[in-house]
Amino acid sequence: MTLRSSLLLTLLVSQLASADWYFRGTPNQWAATALDDRGQGVYATCQTFAQGDGQGSPRFKIDRFANWAENYPSADYEVSANSSVEIRFNALNQTIDTVTVANCDDESTQDSWYFRGTANGWSTTAMLDAGQNNYEVRVSFAGEANNARFKIDHRGDWIENYPNADIVVADFTTYDIRFNSVTKTISVAEVGGDDSIPAQVSALPSPGTYSNSQRIRLQVSDNKDAQPSLYFTLDGSQATQDSALYVEQIFSAHDIGSGDDLTIRTLTVDASGNEAEQRFAYQIDPIQTGTIDFRSETIYFVMTARFYDGDASNNYYNRDRIEPNDPQWRGDFKGLIAQLDYIKDLGFTAIWVTPPVVNRSGLDYHGYHAYDWTQVDPRLESSDATYQDFINAAHALGMKVVQDVVINHSSQYGIRDQVWIDHLPIKYYVPAGAEQGLVDNGAYQGNLGDYQSTFRDDNDNSVAPFWFSSRHSSDAEGVLPLVDPLTGVTVPKAGYNPGRFFGIDAATLDPDWYHQDGFMAGGDWENPASLQTKHMAGDTIDLATGNQNVKDYINGAMHKYLAMGVDAIRLDTTKHIERNELLTYIEDWQTFKPGTFVFGEVLVKGLGFGTEIGNDNGPAAIRPWWYTRTGNDPANPSGDSNLSVLDFPLFSTFRDNVTHGSLGGIGGALSMDWTYADPTELVTFFQNHDVGPDNDFKFRFGGAEANAALAYNLLWTIRGIPSLYYGEEIMFKAGFPHDIQSNDDTVADTGRAYYGDHLDDRAATQSHPLYQHIKRLNQIRHAVPALQMGVMDKVNEWGSGMSFVRDYNNQESYAVVGLATGNGQSISVSGVPNGTYRDAVTGNTINVGNGTLAFNVQSNSIGAYVLDGPGKVGEHGRYLR
């Protein structure tokens, strides 16, 4: 909302028509005492309770018209003996809220109203009594990322506040705010004065080092001036008001040698005369310059919260599976920044991070239970190490950032400030046989409410109903009675239905935001309609991704991260969204930031190409290749959707071949490459955070180290973009389940254990044979464009060995590759161009004059003979020699 100095915003808050409501209870011997009308359907009284009566403990009901025909709650509302209690009844939803006070007779006769908003961190700032029921305050909003807003709160307890939705105002602006306690009107007037804040400039993509040419545009914004002037230079000289004026030009950065390849310097001048200078520098790495695609990268996948702890102050225990001294939220962006040189030394050029957005669930450290897509989870950030700082630091080292994104589902608590899902506040949950305040659950001692929140509130959703939101800032101990509006039961109550705190009734979800088709079961996993409209689990609530409001919300959030510099997107649970519907999101992101590489998780455990192609028990419409295409004939792949996928079909063969030292079956999987729009863009992997190459697809690889080396030899030389899950380079947690298996497991018992101890002992970690092996594979792949982007041809696989050709751009880069398992192999490939071939592994040179290249490969090694190639790359290790 934009407000000018002359603008006066008046909000009229409607009230219910007058109705008579009465207190009846033990203090007045169940007679009728009229409640005070507090407006907005809220009625109140203060009562002093003694010991109760002959029928039971102190208690009461709220009665309409004093005739018992309509009264609430269904069972008497019990309170503590010998206490004074302020009682508030909401006639809109028939909920009751109580607050214990010192003495009903001592209530102040002077009313109190408070300003609460982003300008004061939602704390209380008393408003001045200006007479005639008016209250006033002057507030300066110093900049809240275009999210400045506020409410007016009666008595500073959130029980009665206005209006229903936050009032949105402008950043960097001071306002006089007036509230009338009778009419509930709020007026907001901008205060005039000198503007001393200059305009700000941002560049998209953000400055840094890139592997290919970049197209850059600028954006300028100011707190008051809608069209500040922006001047620029491109030659490194200081920008002045005599420099060129920016009017939506697009600048190009190309490799022109060492150092900065493009430097943009800017000067902004706003209507108040404020000036500011900024500098944006871009480097294009000459080794990586080429086509604008992601195939030249290799990806290191980190579970951010489990990688490295750079800031212990943001550590956080989830309420489920607590392990003392190992908070699930342990790693952070400060730690990741500190270890960028480790990842770079290992040879990776892109870092895939788990979803960084605000999460909510009992075990949400992994990031896949989004609650607020628009904000980065504070448990990952530090004041000096934000997500933006991490992106900038990665770019400064020439590394790209892949952000994991979930759009299929939200957490079980809805979406903050957008949609609320009905639950009782968790701080009122008491297990059967337990007692509130004595619950022994580690950091959550007392109750399961968020132990780091002042009021133990873990669901700060502004669109929650009054009966729920009134407890956001009260009753930290979770002991004051709260009536469940669904059942009339008063909590806390030991053993009360856990579903009211943690469960989901799909039929009651808001259809504007969610599907209402129930939960997945049985054959649903092979049925597209069920797969794409039902909820996977109680903490993954299926979004109605076809609705425009859902698209607008998610796409708006994604624009923010793309503008921050995110280079690529990994899309979670892709097959749970119908393809054509999903592609509208991809198109939006790639229109906003052209060249954005997106790859999806279409999980299958098997070759999985669809019944229409003849080798599967599920339809093609939920198989990986389908999502890379645009055609609608599942038996005839066609079109290119600009969406790539993780190569689950190839991975699914690994339990039967490479993990046992064999290459049998690899050729069969590769023979289906014709189904994909571009198989060279597939993202390949040996294992990840969910699945491993074992019979049950559940465990980190725990077999022979040489067989892991064989798997990496394959993935780094065949078509596709290889990715490595953190710790694979030392066989971290070998044989452990990827995720929690039993009721007593903690994260430390899984493949998601904390990795930081190994990073603190880098000498030992970096000397591991697999670390050195992967490092050299990265060196070789980065030196040979054919191994990055070349089409695969002449595939020949015989179990103990394999050979193939990678041809990039009609022999611009051409490689003949041979793989050997545990026994050395003799390789011969015919029909290759004549010329001089040099092996990137041994440096051996072979001159071909008859179209046939023959060479030997040692056990567990590879031969990568490159036409007119560079020769030996890197140093010999245990497996590459």
Side-chain angles (χ1 to χ4, degrees):
M1 178 183 298
T2 301
L3 298 178
R4 298 298 180 187
S5 58
S6 61
L7 175 65
L8 184 65
L9 173 67
T10 301
L11 299 177
L12 297 176
V13 183
S14 64
Q15 299 186 29
L16 288 180
S18 177
D20 294 325
W21 293 93
Y22 296 86
F23 170 89
R24 305 182 79 160
T26 54
N28 65 353
Q29 290 78 49
W30 300 94
T33 300
L35 297 178
D36 296 332
D37 187 346
R38 296 288 176 83
Q40 278 206 314
V42 176
Y43 297 81
T45 184
C46 187
Q47 297 290 329
T48 299
F49 292 80
Q51 294 293 324
D53 58 19
Q55 303 301 315
S57 60
R59 63 198 189 279
F60 69 90
K61 280 194 170 190
I62 304 301
D63 182 24
R64 190 173 190 181
F65 304 130
N67 61 7
W68 288 121
E70 179 184 354
N71 59 87
Y72 302 94
S74 56
D76 295 348
Y77 194 115
E78 296 184 2
V79 298
S80 300
N82 302 313
S83 64
S84 294
V85 180
E86 181 167 338
I87 301 165
R88 296 194 179 204
F89 173 73
N90 189 321
L92 291 170
N93 54 19
Q94 294 79 51
T95 57
I96 297 171
D97 198 59
T98 59
V99 177
T100 302
V101 297
N103 191 321
C104 288
D105 295 333
D106 290 342
E107 283 192 304
S108 173
T109 58
Q110 183 175 352
D111 215 353
S112 298
W113 293 91
Y114 297 89
F115 167 90
R116 305 183 78 162
T118 55
N120 65 352
W122 298 95
S123 60
T124 53
T125 298
M127 302 182 75
L128 297 177
D129 188 344
Q132 296 183 327
N133 301 311
N134 292 316
Y135 296 81
E136 297 178 344
V137 68
R138 175 170 290 187
V139 181
S140 295
F141 294 83
E144 286 83 31
N146 296 319
N147 200 26
R149 59 199 195 281
F150 72 90
K151 280 191 170 188
I152 305 301
D153 182 24
H154 199 189
R155 298 191 177 91
D157 57 9
W158 282 127
I159 293 175
E160 180 185 358
N161 58 85
Y162 302 94
N164 289 330
D166 298 346
I167 295 179
V168 179
V169 292
D171 286 332
F172 303 108
T173 308
T174 299
Y175 296 98
D176 281 334
I177 299 170
R178 170 175 282 207
F179 174 75
N180 187 286
S181 61
V182 174
T183 64
K184 307 303 186 293
T185 56
I186 301 170
S187 63
V188 184
E190 184 177 335
V191 178
D194 295 335
D195 173 23
S196 60
I197 302 172
Q200 297 294 310
V201 181
S202 60
L204 182 68
S206 58
T209 302
Y210 293 85
S211 62
N212 42 50
S213 301
Q214 298 294 310
R215 289 165 57 82
I216 302 146
R217 63 178 183 268
L218 303 178
Q219 294 177 331
V220 60
S221 61
D222 186 70
N223 62 312
K224 293 183 179 295
D225 188 354
Q227 293 183 316
S229 298
L230 173 58
Y231 303 92
F232 69 92
T233 65
L234 302 177
D235 59 4
S237 63
Q238 181 176 352
T240 70
Q241 294 190 43
D242 293 325
S243 301
L245 185 66
Y246 184 76
V247 283
E248 303 300 323
Q249 296 97 324
I250 296 178
F251 308 120
S252 296
H254 304 283
D255 174 39
I256 59 174
S258 60
D260 292 344
D261 295 304
L262 175 66
T263 300
I264 307 171
R265 297 187 65 177
T266 64
L267 171 70
T268 56
V269 183
D270 66 16
S272 300
N274 298 306
E275 298 185 4
E277 298 179 11
Q278 289 181 254
R279 179 179 181 273
F280 306 92
Y282 296 83
Q283 286 187 2
I284 308 302
D285 186 342
I287 295 177
Q288 300 296 330
T289 299
T291 57
I292 302 177
D293 60 44
F294 219 74
R295 295 178 296 176
S296 59
E297 314 298 333
T298 57
I299 303 170
Y300 190 80
F301 173 27
V302 299
M303 186 161 282
T304 312
R306 306 301 294 161
F307 190 63
Y308 193 75
D309 190 4
D311 180 2
S313 70
N314 60 16
N315 289 356
Y316 179 88
Y317 289 93
N318 284 126
R319 66 174 182 264
D320 193 10
R321 312 305 176 97
I322 290 177
E323 174 73 16
N325 301 316
D326 184 25
Q328 292 97 337
W329 291 81
R330 191 170 178 185
D332 45 45
F333 287 121
K334 188 168 186 175
L336 191 49
I337 291 170
Q339 300 300 330
L340 285 175
D341 59 335
Y342 169 88
I343 300 171
K344 187 175 179 68
D345 178 76
L346 191 49
F348 289 93
T349 59
I351 303 172
W352 163 7
V353 295
T354 41
V357 303
V358 173
N359 265 238
R360 288 288 189 276
S361 82
L363 202 60
D364 60 8
Y365 67 94
H366 43 63
Y368 295 97
H369 296 309
Y371 175 59
D372 185 343
W373 273 258
T374 69
Q375 302 295 322
V376 176
D377 201 299
R379 295 170 286 189
L380 295 176
E381 291 195 308
S382 309
S383 60
D384 58 346
T386 64
Y387 186 38
Q388 182 69 73
D389 292 329
F390 160 67
I391 294 171
N392 294 345
H395 286 171
L397 290 175
M399 305 171 80
K400 288 184 170 60
V401 174
V402 181
Q403 179 171 319
D404 211 324
V405 173
V406 183
I407 69 173
N408 170 71
H409 56 266
S410 79
S411 77
Q412 71 210 73
Y413 300 109
I415 302 175
R416 183 159 64 188
D417 300 334
Q418 302 297 322
V419 59
W420 182 76
I421 295 178
D422 180 30
H423 290 100
L424 294 174
I426 289 175
K427 59 188 170 186
Y428 296 103
Y429 172 70
V430 182
E435 182 179 343
Q436 186 73 306
L438 299 179
V439 177
D440 185 4
N441 199 50
Y444 290 79
Q445 190 68 31
N447 65 57
L448 289 180
D450 183 358
Y451 73 100
Q452 287 194 352
S453 169
T454 302
F455 293 101
R456 304 293 290 266
D457 178 31
D458 63 352
N459 191 3
D460 53 343
N461 200 331
S462 67
V463 296
F466 173 80
W467 66 265
F468 187 98
S469 61
S470 66
R471 302 300 174 103
H472 286 339
S473 56
S474 66
D475 191 20
E477 289 75 23
V479 296
L480 295 180
L482 175 68
V483 176
D484 183 346
L486 186 66
T487 65
V489 173
T490 300
V491 294
K493 180 180 180 181
Y496 182 57
N497 180 15
R500 288 296 294 131
F501 301 90
F502 311 111
I504 296 292
D505 181 353
T508 65
L509 294 170
D510 185 343
D512 286 342
W513 288 91
Y514 294 104
H515 291 130
Q516 298 178 308
D517 295 1
F519 289 85
M520 300 286 292
D524 288 338
W525 296 97
E526 297 295 334
N527 182 332
S530 298
L531 195 72
Q532 293 163 0
T533 60
K534 290 188 176 182
H535 313 289
M536 291 188 297
D539 53 4
T540 54
I541 311 307
D542 208 73
L543 284 165
T545 47
N547 290 357
Q548 192 60 45
N549 58 299
V550 178
K551 292 182 181 182
D552 291 343
Y553 174 77
I554 290 177
N555 288 337
M558 288 311 304
H559 293 175
K560 168 184 174 179
Y561 299 113
L562 292 171
M564 288 169 65
V566 167
D567 302 287
I569 293 169
R570 181 267 187 182
L571 191 58
D572 184 73
T573 50
T574 299
K575 71 177 181 181
H576 292 265
I577 306 174
E578 189 276 326
R579 184 196 65 186
N580 293 339
E581 180 178 295
L582 176 66
L583 293 182
T584 65
Y585 288 86
I586 309 301
E587 180 181 6
D588 178 274
W589 304 341
Q590 292 175 337
T591 298
F592 180 82
K593 188 174 182 179
T596 299
F597 179 63
V598 185
F599 61 100
E601 178 207 31
V602 185
L603 192 152
V604 291
K605 296 176 180 178
L607 286 178
F609 289 94
T611 53
E612 296 86 348
I613 293 180
N615 69 339
D616 198 11
N617 62 351
I622 53 175
R623 297 312 187 213
W625 71 265
W626 178 259
Y627 283 83
T628 73
R629 298 292 195 168
T630 56
N632 292 316
D633 183 354
N636 182 27
S638 63
D640 187 342
S641 68
N642 292 320
L643 169 65
S644 188
V645 291
L646 287 154
D647 194 353
F648 274 94
L650 177 66
F651 153 80
S652 295
T653 71
F654 290 165
R655 64 177 180 175
D656 300 318
N657 45 50
V658 293
T659 56
H660 302 288
S662 169
L663 292 166
I666 298 296
L670 296 176
S671 70
M672 300 300 293
D673 277 1
W674 62 275
T675 60
Y676 299 102
D678 185 352
T680 66
E681 290 187 339
L682 294 171
V683 177
T684 58
F685 62 101
F686 185 46
Q687 52 196 318
N688 64 27
H689 59 316
D690 289 325
V691 294
D694 58 274
N695 285 334
D696 297 320
F697 297 106
K698 287 184 178 181
F699 300 91
R700 276 199 185 240
F701 177 65
E705 180 184 285
N707 292 340
L710 173 64
Y712 304 134
N713 289 344
L714 175 72
L715 295 178
W716 261 254
T717 54
I718 66 168
R719 87 294 183 268
I721 305 165
S723 65
L724 190 87
Y725 183 41
Y726 82 94
E728 284 189 61
E729 64 270 28
I730 62 170
M731 291 189 69
F732 176 62
K733 303 300 283 187
F736 278 68
H738 278 288
D739 201 357
I740 287 168
Q741 297 291 301
S742 68
N743 291 335
D744 297 326
D745 283 355
T746 65
V747 181
D749 301 317
T750 73
R752 301 177 181 183
Y754 178 65
Y755 191 61
D757 296 336
H758 296 279
L759 296 170
D760 286 333
D761 187 5
R762 281 204 193 179
T765 299
Q766 293 177 320
S767 65
H768 194 286
L770 282 182
Y771 182 101
Q772 295 299 321
H773 182 67
I774 293 165
K775 179 176 181 177
R776 191 175 184 206
L777 284 172
N778 272 324
Q779 292 171 338
I780 291 171
R781 188 178 188 275
H782 294 323
V784 182
L787 296 181
Q788 304 165 29
M789 299 169 284
V791 174
M792 204 168 175
D793 192 17
K794 302 184 185 303
V795 177
N796 186 18
E797 170 261 296
W798 57 93
S800 58
M802 184 175 181
S803 64
F804 51 88
V805 166
R806 299 289 305 276
D807 183 2
Y808 172 60
N809 203 20
N810 294 319
Q811 300 173 23
E812 180 179 321
S813 179
Y814 189 91
V816 179
V817 179
L819 304 180
T821 59
N823 298 310
Q825 298 292 306
S826 295
I827 308 292
S828 181
V829 180
S830 299
V832 303
N834 293 329
T836 300
Y837 289 80
R838 299 182 182 90
D839 184 12
V841 176
T842 64
N844 186 39
T845 299
I846 298 177
N847 293 310
V848 174
N850 62 355
T852 298
L853 176 61
F855 56 93
N856 294 321
V857 179
Q858 296 193 54
S859 61
N860 300 310
S861 188
I862 64 175
Y865 282 80
V866 183
L867 182 62
D868 298 323
K872 181 181 177 182
V873 178
E875 299 300 323
H876 287 342
R878 179 177 295 180
Y879 303 109
L880 291 176
R881 63 206 190 283

